Amino acid sequence: MDIRKRTRALVLGGLSILIFLINIQSASASSIRGDWLTGDLETDFNWGVPSVRAQKAHEAGFTGKDVKVGVLDWGFDASHPDLNGRLGGYLNPYKDEEEAARYVGFHGTAVSSIIGANKDGRGMLGVAYDAKLYVSSFEWRVGDPLVRPHASSYRYFEAQGVEIVNNSWELGDKSERGVAAFYQDVLPYARSGGVLVFSTGNNYETESELPALPAGLPRLYPDLEETWLAVTGLGPQDERGNYAQICGPAARWCLAAPGGAKAIMDNRGDWVFIDGMNAAEPGGGYLNASGTSFAAPMVTGALAITREIYPDADMLDLRKLVLQTTLDIGDAGIDRIFGWGKLDLGNVVETISPYGRSIFAGAAYNRQIAMEQVSRLPFGPLARSQRLEALWAATDLTRSELAASGPIPGTRAGSRAFAAGMDLVQRDGFTAGAGIAYSFTSTSEDSTANTASGNGFYGFGYADWSNGAWYAKGTAGLGSLRQRHTRRTIPGLAGTAMALDNPEATSATRGTGIFSNVEAGRAYHAAIADFTLFGRLFGSSQKMRRFSEDGLEIFGYTVEGERLTSAMAGPGLRVSRSFPKGGWTISPEVELSYARAFGDTASTLNSSLLDRPMEASTVVPGRNVFGVGAKLSFTQPQKGFTASVSYNGSFRKNVSHNSLQFGLSFAF
């Protein structure tokens, strides 16, 4: 067979392509797992694509669009329907067009199709089917085995702005001189910040404990590790391919990806592949084979999608992201067989899920609750008719729940506020004073282990005016706010080696807040009770500093310092009655109110992960707020003592809010 003859000639030429000779056949479906097949024929044609959950990226709109990917391999058939339009550039090493035509190259064509085969409703689908492929083909010259195309190829990739290069081949000259020469060839590209992906090799029986060179090269040159990835091969049951060299001492920079289950030589000397990978071959057809050559481009395609998700990130950070989001298979943690584990694009996409950052917005919402609490406290414990040079103290316990919405989890916000103050001015119908307050907030989520806690320290003034049946009262203040966040549910780490260490990210920030609460109305006296019609306005604004998380290098968010402002205004009706009982005056009252919310109803913050801007938000609360309240006061007029307990509840779309307030005042 002509293809086999050419392959043997290439091996003699000094560079061994890491594949098994191709025996075109139908893919065996006997071991293909149905739990990750999509039902789409084009996606499932190469079972490796759904196996690494590439469809999760595609469904989210990430296809590697216009990401430049380098392929250093043997040839490229640009006329193949699944590669038509995918070629961004081609470095042609051949002497003339006739020689180039003879070496279209099945191996480079197959590898390229796994990375970027077109989505056209037929044939196969590449992992990053909208990527742009920049191909540099090996230059084969029989009788000149020392020709090294590497340096010129890597210079070409760097000049084209290619940040990811697939290398599904083995170094032909493994002598000390040959290895050192290759290091010099690749070093400029490595220093440019690009990522190089290498297959570990197919010499399972003879070199099973070591990855092939160059996959294992950082063992000799540690400065290459941060730019290097080695890839071993898996079958459809996540088992090690019977051909694949393991990660071994390269485990720190190694992972596994689908490459086919088995390659077996029959009694005629032909290779038979069991659950092999389908890939394009020159002339428009498809082949089926197994080898780490086909595992490496799975990772290369995943890197292209990761680059599209995070277009402004450092490419070396994206290399870490792909490693750290792999599924842990084999022995727990990073192991000698599979390294970090199995490539998982679903986990990569999950890293941008809103539930990873919603706790920041939930904490901001809770800070607003605390300021609203403090604004109510000066008037909770006091009877207006007895406010003569009063010293008072009050506390408020509040719990609020925000509903879940899609990927945003439900939020539970609890706040406790304590305040004390003193009337400083007292004239006929007018009282004014000042106070201080402290609040403690705790925020958690229904479906994550993420939490936040905060402290607020406030100073405020208040005033109360009345003229017959008319009255007005208000409070205004400012606060110093502190917040801590702890994220223990990190999107993208489910089932990974990283998750075994129970990772968490922590952050802290400080800021300021201002608030005001004004109520005005008119009282009507009737025989059975007193009725008060009123209008109320509450507003708050908070400004927090920019902060970044510690504890998780590439999974840590940066949250911008922003001002959040909100307000509510509306009417209400209060019904009260007072009656004497054993030297005390007992005053029960009930209240119904309505308010319309303005400004930032949802707490929304600008945040970023790996320089990708993403909003951190709670569910959007409704703007129509319905309130209910009840209060019971006990006053001893002769001693100027008042005690009270009250309940306030407010209900709006997606939010329920309940608070309980206690207060004491002393007049002297």
Side-chain angles (χ1 to χ4, degrees), residues 39 140 276 357 558 585:
W140 305 114
R357 54 191 179 274
T558 295
T585 298

Side-chain angles (χ1 to χ4, degrees), residues 73 96 146 259:
D73 214 296
D96 52 45
L146 297 180

Side-chain angles (χ1 to χ4, degrees), residues 443-624:
T443 311
S444 59
E445 295 179 326
D446 290 335
S447 55
T448 78
N450 301 332
T451 59
S453 62
N455 298 280
F457 301 88
Y458 310 88
F460 57 84
Y462 59 88
D464 187 355
W465 167 88
S466 64
N467 185 2
W470 292 94
Y471 78 94
K473 59 183 180 180
T475 183
L478 55 87
S480 173
L481 309 176
R482 301 178 182 180
Q483 190 78 55
R484 290 191 61 84
H485 316 88
T486 302
R487 290 194 308 127
R488 299 181 181 89
T489 301
I490 313 297
L493 293 186
T496 67
M498 286 277 289
L500 298 175
D501 294 328
N502 298 314
E504 66 177 36
T506 59
S507 56
T509 183
R510 295 186 178 190
T512 57
I514 58 174
F515 60 87
S516 64
N517 195 341
V518 178
E519 180 181 309
R522 189 179 193 282
Y524 298 88
H525 299 284
I528 58 172
D530 294 335
F531 297 87
T532 302
L533 293 175
F534 63 86
R536 182 183 292 140
L537 169 65
F538 168 76
S540 68
S541 180
Q542 55 177 295
K543 170 70 173 178
M544 304 300 288
R545 297 177 184 175
R546 183 178 189 266
F547 63 91
S548 298
E549 290 186 298
D550 296 321
L552 283 178
E553 182 186 3
I554 60 171
F555 294 93
Y557 274 92
T558 295
V559 181
E560 300 300 323
E562 294 187 66
R563 184 173 295 280
L564 294 177
T565 303
S566 64
M568 291 187 293
L573 170 65
R574 184 180 300 117
V575 180
S576 62
R577 183 178 180 181
S578 298
F579 55 89
K581 183 72 173 178
W584 292 82
T585 298
I586 302 176
S587 305
E589 64 181 45
V590 294
E591 177 184 299
L592 296 175
S593 65
Y594 165 80
R596 178 73 174 176
F598 304 94
D600 303 316
T601 57
S603 296
T604 303
L605 304 172
N606 288 324
S607 63
S608 61
L609 179 66
L610 292 172
D611 293 324
R612 176 187 170 91
M614 294 178 282
E615 284 189 343
S617 179
T618 63
V619 65
V620 180
R623 292 192 178 274
N624 298 311

Side-chain angles (χ1 to χ4, degrees), residues 225-264:
E225 182 177 336
E226 66 175 3
T227 195
W228 223 254
L229 286 176
V231 187
T232 190
L234 296 175
Q237 298 298 317
D238 293 346
E239 77 278 21
R240 173 187 178 183
N242 79 330
Y243 50 84
Q245 288 169 248
I246 65 174
C247 293
R252 290 195 313 274
W253 60 89
C254 187
L255 70 162
K262 294 181 180 180
I264 303 172

Side-chain angles (χ1 to χ4, degrees), residues 300-316:
T300 301
L303 279 166
I305 285 181
T306 306
R307 165 50 85 201
E308 183 186 6
I309 296 173
Y310 295 102
D312 297 317
D314 188 312
M315 196 65 217
L316 302 186

Side-chain angles (χ1 to χ4, degrees), residues 214-412:
L217 196 61
R219 291 179 62 208
L220 303 175
Y221 300 99
D223 56 320
L224 295 178
E225 182 177 336
E226 66 175 3
T227 195
W228 223 254
L229 286 176
V231 187
T232 190
L234 296 175
Q237 298 298 317
D238 293 346
E239 77 278 21
R240 173 187 178 183
N242 79 330
Y243 50 84
Q245 288 169 248
I246 65 174
C247 293
R252 290 195 313 274
W253 60 89
C254 187
L255 70 162
K262 294 181 180 180
I264 303 172
M265 186 174 291
D266 64 17
N267 55 14
R268 295 178 300 176
D270 293 326
W271 288 105
V272 176
F273 302 105
I274 299 173
D275 290 332
M277 304 281 282
N278 286 335
E281 70 166 350
Y286 300 92
L287 55 84
N288 181 269
S290 297
T292 58
S293 283
F294 306 121
M298 300 292 298
V299 172
T300 301
L303 279 166
I305 285 181
T306 306
R307 165 50 85 201
E308 183 186 6
I309 296 173
Y310 295 102
D312 297 317
D314 188 312
M315 196 65 217
L316 302 186
D317 284 338
L318 299 187
R319 168 194 169 274
K320 294 177 184 177
L321 185 70
V322 168
L323 279 176
Q324 294 177 14
T325 53
T326 57
L327 285 179
D328 188 28
I329 60 175
D331 294 339
I334 303 173
D335 66 78
R336 55 187 290 275
I337 304 296
F338 304 113
W340 283 81
K342 178 187 175 184
L343 174 68
D344 192 324
L345 259 173
N347 267 353
V348 173
V349 175
E350 191 72 7
T351 61
I352 64 173
S353 179
Y355 75 85
R357 54 191 179 274
S358 54
I359 191 65
F360 305 128
Y365 169 78
N366 209 356
R367 293 192 295 267
Q368 176 185 324
I369 291 175
M371 287 190 285
E372 184 179 356
Q373 282 180 291
V374 172
S375 74
R376 292 195 307 259
L377 287 174
F379 302 103
L382 305 175
R384 280 192 303 113
S385 61
Q386 298 296 325
R387 300 192 58 193
L388 302 175
E389 297 181 359
L391 179 68
W392 58 268
T395 183
D396 186 291
L397 310 177
T398 293
R399 182 177 177 84
S400 188
E401 296 187 2
L402 285 76
S405 177
I408 299 176
T411 301
R412 297 186 298 275

